[in-house]
Structure formats: structure tokens, C-alpha cells
Amino acid sequence: MNASQIEARVKSVLIVGEQALSIEDVVAVARQQVQVALPTSKAWRELIQRGADFLDQLLLDEGVIYGVTTGYGDSCLVEIPMHQVNELPLHLSRFHGCGLGENLDLITARAVVITRLCSLARGYSGVSLALLERLVWMLNENIIPVIPSEGSVGASGDLTPLSYIAGALVGERDVYTQAKVMPIAQVYAEKGIQPLILRPKEGLALMNGTAVMTAIACLNYKKAEQVALASTLITALNVLALEGNPSHFDEVLFAQKPHQGQQLIAQQLREWLNSEVQTAHQSPRLQDRYSLRCAPHIIGVFEDSKTWLRQFIENELNSSNDNPLIDPVNLRVLHGGHFYGGHIAQAMDSLKIMIANIADLMDRQIAQLVDHKMNHGLPRNLTGSGADRLPLNHGFKAVQIGVSAWTAEALKHTLAASIFSRSTECHNQDKVSMGTIAARDATRVITLTQQVLAALCCASVQAVHLKGVVSQLSPSLKAFVEWILQSFALLEEDRPLQTELQQIIDRFDNFELFNQFQEKV
């Protein structure tokens, strides 16, 4: 995407509150590609106001409202005196300020804020327009709460991490701003803005939801799409480098096993390999090893799962998931358990298995490339040195070891987090989703898989050059090779590759590959 395209997208505005958001909407806001606004329609604004007014009336009538006139969780039988009701949201944000671990990066934290805004702006949480406007202000000014990643069990919502949004709104905690971290109180003072005073239930509405796990899931989904694309392109290069048999991806063959995603991967391989031309040059071997022959079956599992993964993630994104809900139409308080993140937990536990399997596929492919016993004439370890320097140079030997390590770690993270439910909070939260841990695990698996893919990008380009088949590449594969060569120079003499590998990983994080090839897929 060039500078003018980025500028055009930044100027566009995403309206949050009346229409459902997509995964792509969340990612665009997270990456500062769009501004955010609330609906201007009278109907929407009246809906928001009715919920807030209904809560006010209940308080005047001294009705019992969980989390408003009572304590939280197991403390729900503790009655809060009316003169202390307005202090309760502040205490909620403060006592949950115990998050630890690495902080979410700016992009992820922005994704959390837009995800929470999406839920609250549906009108069933009883929050004020002023609260929603302050969240919009945070996003558009890029003043974003610093959120620790650890401390949520994923039921009763992402309470502890989301408390950092509530804390920032009231003038406490730190924020990302102007490429640094500083106290929100200082930001407010410099801008002459008063901290928000949370109304009754607004602390609970902010914190008692699934925004952290859902935001991470949105980012993971888009990164996983790029993993699938990159691994398919790499497989095509390796079929050529290893003198593979492109007929393994035959259209009639795949018509007999009608998984549509799997068929799509096979179709891409046929097109990118230009199979009609390549068939005349294929190896006399009837069957390649599984890591080439079965690539569509492995990558295709994610491709076929995209429909239900998107459904799970976007349904959660566009839900009211705090407790209790405030029905602004029928004027009722609805107590339930929508804070439970089971669907995101299932999606992320499943996604990390799919992606780790792709890492394992790539690990097997590089093992073939570097091993002179099975790489069909390629130099040992893909070294590009001349004969007189060959004994000294070791090419991709260490890179293959690194790939093995990254793959093993990715596979280690695939144990389902959702099965480790713990009873917490005096057994009030006695069955929890662990959805946020599942989402964080999936992020780690994707990061490790990107490292594997970066290594395979370099090794595969080296291999097709050493094999002398660059002139046979289809236009798409040539474009892919050129994309890689922007960060990687062919390896002749041994040198450290860390910087080149990291540069490719960074470009994955910027969705460069997907942006370049999305029209082709």
C-alpha cells in the first residue's frame, strides 16, 4: 500500500454503534487506518439515553441492581449504601489494577478499545453517551491505555486487563501517546480535559466483557490468513526446487475430496506452478513426500475453518457481553453470563493447532531442502559458495536448526487453554473460559510460525536460484521472489541472517504480503 492509499484510508471514518463491525474493521482501527465516530441518528442516541435514564430511575426507586447497588461477584449480597453508589465504579477499576506480564502493544491495545466500544455502543449496557464519546476521543487522538496482558480467566470478562481502560478514563494509569508512555493524568492536564466520572455500572460495563480476547482474536485471524498465503507460495517454490510432481494438485484429483478450502489451496498451487508447463519437466518420481504432496490438506484445514472462525469472532465482537444487561426498549435488567468467552476460547484453541501444523509443514520442507540425501541435487545446506569455498561454508544449517526450535515451541503451545478452567472468586466464577489465554497462545504460535516462514522464504528463494529454475517461475511466484529479495540477498558466503529474517517478519506484521497478493487469492 503506497502513501497516498494510506492517507486516503486514514481520512475515512468508521461509524460504530448501528452496523455490525467486521474483523477487518477492528484491524483497520487498530492500525490507525480509519478514524472512528458515533452515529448521529436520533434513534440511536435516544436508545443510549434510555438505558442510562432507566438506571437513574431504578436508583431513585432504590431498586437492587447487581454491581450498582451491590458488591461484585461473590460479594453480590453486600448492599452498597446509596451515598456510596457513585464511588463503586472507581473502586472496581482500582482493585483490579493488578495485571502483570508484558503489556499489549499499541496495535493490540487499540484493537481492545474499539472492540469494547463496539459492544457498549449497541445500547444494552446502560452507559452514557459521554463515556462512548471519550472512547472515540482516545482512538482518534491515539491516547491508548497501557494494558498488561496477563490476569484474565476469560469469564466475568477480561476484568483485570479492561480495568486499565476504566482507570485511564478516570485519570489514572498510563497511556501510549506520541510514541511514548506517560500518565493519563498528565495528558488530561496538558489538554485541559477533565477525567471522566464514571456513572453507576459504567465501571462494570467497561470491564465485564470479552474485549481483550476478541480483539486479539481479530488480529490473529488476519495474521493467520497471511500465514496460509505465505506457506502456499513457499510450497510452490519448493515443489520446483525439489523437482516435485505438480500433478499431486490435479483438479480432478481434488474434486474427489470436496473440502472447498483444501481445493482452493490446490488450485493456487496449480496456477502458481503453471502446472501445464511444469509437468513436462517434473521428476520421474511418482509420489513426493507428504510435506509437498499433502500441503493442500494441511493448509486447507485453516482455509476451510475460516467461515466458522469468522462467525465466532464477529458474533462475539458485535455482542453485548457485560452483566447485567440493561434493556433500553422494555426497561428491564437482565442478569446472565454473556461475559463467558467460550466461543473465542474454542476459536483460538483451534486456530493455534491449525497454524502450528503449518509451521510443522514448513519445518519438514526445509529439512528436505538442506539435506543432500533428499534434496535432489541441491548443494548441502543450500550453500551458494563456489567449489573452493565449499568446505568452509555451512549455508542454512543453523537456520534449519532455528526452524526446528521455533516449530517445536509452536507445537508445545497447542494444548487447549480452555480445558484448564479454574474456580475463582470464592467459587462464584467456578467455570471459566480461559479465552484470553487461548488467544495469547494463538498469538505466540503465529509469531513463531512467522519466524519459520521468514526462514523458509530465504531458503526457498536460495533453492530455486541454485536449481536454476527462476526463469520457469509463473508471474505470481516471480513477484513473491522479488518481494523476498527486497529483504534478503542470496547467500554465497556465510553471514548472520538475523537482521534479514527479522525484516521479513516485520513485513509480515505489516501485512505487506497479503496486501500485495490479496487480489490474486
Side-chain angles (χ1 to χ4, degrees):
M1 185 180 298
N2 59 40
S4 62
Q5 289 173 314
I6 293 174
E7 184 179 0
R9 292 189 69 174
V10 167
K11 290 180 179 178
S12 62
V13 176
L14 178 70
I15 306 298
V16 182
E18 290 179 321
Q19 302 297 323
L21 300 190
S22 67
I23 290 171
E24 287 73 19
D25 289 331
V26 171
V27 174
V29 173
R31 298 182 62 78
Q32 301 182 60
Q33 293 169 337
V34 293
Q35 294 278 294
V36 175
L38 297 172
T40 58
S41 71
K42 181 180 179 182
W44 178 82
R45 290 177 177 258
E46 286 180 348
L47 184 76
I48 297 298
Q49 191 62 47
R50 278 201 303 271
D53 289 346
F54 174 51
L55 271 177
D56 287 344
Q57 187 60 50
L58 285 176
L59 286 172
L60 289 175
D61 296 341
E62 297 188 5
V64 177
I65 311 168
Y66 169 74
V68 177
T69 61
T70 75
Y72 301 109
D74 178 65
S75 302
C76 65
L77 297 179
V78 177
E79 183 176 340
I80 306 299
M82 289 303 296
H83 68 279
Q84 293 179 343
V85 162
N86 290 322
E87 292 184 64
L88 189 60
L90 186 59
H91 275 257
L92 179 66
S93 70
R94 285 175 172 170
F95 78 75
H96 271 287
C98 56
L100 294 175
E102 292 186 8
N103 295 325
L104 301 180
D105 60 37
L106 176 60
I107 288 175
T108 307
R110 286 182 59 86
V112 172
V113 176
I114 182 60
T115 300
R116 198 76 210 115
L117 174 63
C118 179
S119 179
L120 298 180
R122 296 185 76 253
Y124 280 75
S125 299
V127 301
S128 64
L129 182 61
L131 172 62
L132 302 177
E133 289 174 337
R134 185 61 61 92
L135 291 175
V136 169
W137 174 82
M138 280 184 159
L139 288 167
N140 290 341
E141 294 294 319
N142 200 28
I143 297 169
I144 304 299
V146 175
I147 304 173
S149 61
E150 298 173 6
S152 172
V153 294
S156 215
D158 289 315
L159 291 167
T160 289
L162 288 177
S163 76
Y164 288 78
I165 297 180
L169 290 171
V170 301
E172 302 176 358
R173 315 286 174 87
D174 292 335
V175 291
Y176 295 110
T177 181
Q178 300 175 353
K180 59 185 177 181
V181 173
M182 60 190 299
I184 184 66
Q186 181 180 340
V187 175
Y188 281 155
E190 290 176 356
K191 293 183 176 292
I193 295 174
Q194 292 299 314
L196 202 66
I197 297 175
L198 295 179
R199 289 165 43 85
K201 192 185 176 293
E202 286 190 335
L204 190 60
L206 283 162
M207 295 166 52
N208 190 218
T210 59
V212 175
M213 68 180 82
T214 304
I216 296 172
C218 288
L219 297 171
N220 285 346
Y221 179 94
K222 294 305 294 183
K223 290 180 181 179
E225 283 191 323
Q226 187 164 245
V227 165
L229 170 61
S231 60
T232 308
L233 287 161
I234 288 167
T235 296
L237 289 180
N238 290 340
V239 168
L240 295 174
L242 294 165
E243 301 178 7
N245 187 342
S247 67
H248 291 324
F249 315 120
D250 183 87
E251 183 176 5
V252 174
L253 173 66
F254 275 85
Q256 310 317 309
K257 191 170 185 180
H259 297 297
Q260 291 183 353
Q262 178 178 283
Q263 289 175 329
L264 175 62
I265 300 300
Q267 176 189 333
Q268 290 174 348
L269 287 169
R270 286 195 304 273
E271 293 174 354
W272 294 340
L273 285 167
N274 197 5
S275 293
E276 294 80 4
V277 175
Q278 296 299 334
T279 300
H281 304 285
Q282 73 183 50
S283 166
R285 296 190 317 280
L286 289 178
Q287 298 189 143
D288 292 321
R289 290 178 175 86
Y290 288 7
S291 59
L292 293 183
R293 194 194 334 165
C294 297
H297 308 77
I298 297 163
I299 304 168
V301 173
F302 166 70
E303 199 66 41
D304 273 304
S305 299
K306 285 167 64 174
T307 299
W308 73 263
L309 287 170
R310 180 180 287 275
Q311 181 185 47
F312 274 26
I313 295 168
E314 290 185 345
N315 280 350
E316 194 72 35
L317 169 65
N318 293 290
S319 69
S320 298
N321 46 62
D322 51 304
N323 176 58
L325 295 184
I326 306 301
D327 180 356
V329 177
N330 301 298
L331 303 182
R332 296 189 299 161
V333 179
L334 305 170
H335 294 88
H338 286 354
F339 47 68
Y340 195 91
H343 282 75
I344 296 297
Q346 180 64 43
M348 293 298 98
D349 275 344
S350 299
L351 179 66
K352 66 190 185 187
I353 294 173
M354 301 172 202
I355 299 305
N357 263 308
I358 293 175
D360 202 29
L361 173 72
M362 296 292 99
D363 178 54
R364 297 299 83 217
Q365 288 187 13
I366 198 172
Q368 285 194 62
L369 289 174
V370 300
D371 191 339
H372 70 285
K373 298 185 294 296
M374 61 176 70
N375 66 13
H376 304 287
L378 287 166
R380 189 189 300 265
N381 295 311
L382 297 179
T383 180
S385 63
D388 60 326
R389 305 286 293 175
L390 193 60
L392 187 63
N393 281 280
H394 291 77
F396 282 79
K397 180 185 284 288
V399 172
Q400 190 270 327
I401 295 171
V403 168
S404 185
W406 304 324
T407 300
E409 187 174 345
L411 294 169
K412 181 179 73 70
H413 279 284
T414 58
L415 185 62
S418 56
I419 65 174
F420 287 97
S421 174
R422 311 293 297 162
S423 184
T424 65
E425 211 268 303
C426 302
H427 300 296
N428 177 58
Q429 302 172 15
D430 59 348
K431 172 63 177 162
V432 295
S433 76
M434 297 297 182
T436 311
I437 296 175
R440 287 174 38 233
D441 279 351
T443 300
R444 180 60 180 156
V445 168
I446 290 169
T447 297
L448 290 161
T449 303
Q450 287 179 331
Q451 294 173 192
V452 170
L453 290 170
L456 265 293
C457 282
C458 300
S460 301
V461 167
Q462 178 93 352
V464 294
H465 275 83
L466 291 172
K467 184 65 74 170
V469 296
V470 175
S471 62
Q472 301 172 25
L473 299 181
S474 65
S476 292
L477 290 185
K478 284 181 180 177
F480 181 48
V481 168
E482 290 169 1
W483 185 86
I484 296 167
L485 289 174
Q486 292 174 34
S487 299
F488 167 70
L490 295 175
L491 188 61
E492 295 179 1
E493 284 285 310
D494 289 345
R495 67 173 187 271
L497 290 176
Q498 177 185 356
T499 300
E500 290 157 270
L501 293 173
Q502 187 60 55
Q503 190 175 87
I504 293 174
I505 293 166
D506 293 342
R507 293 169 67 199
F508 281 143
D509 279 339
N510 289 328
F511 297 104
E512 270 191 33
L513 184 66
F514 193 79
N515 290 336
Q516 179 171 330
F517 279 84
Q518 60 184 336
E519 292 183 2
K520 299 181 176 64
V521 297

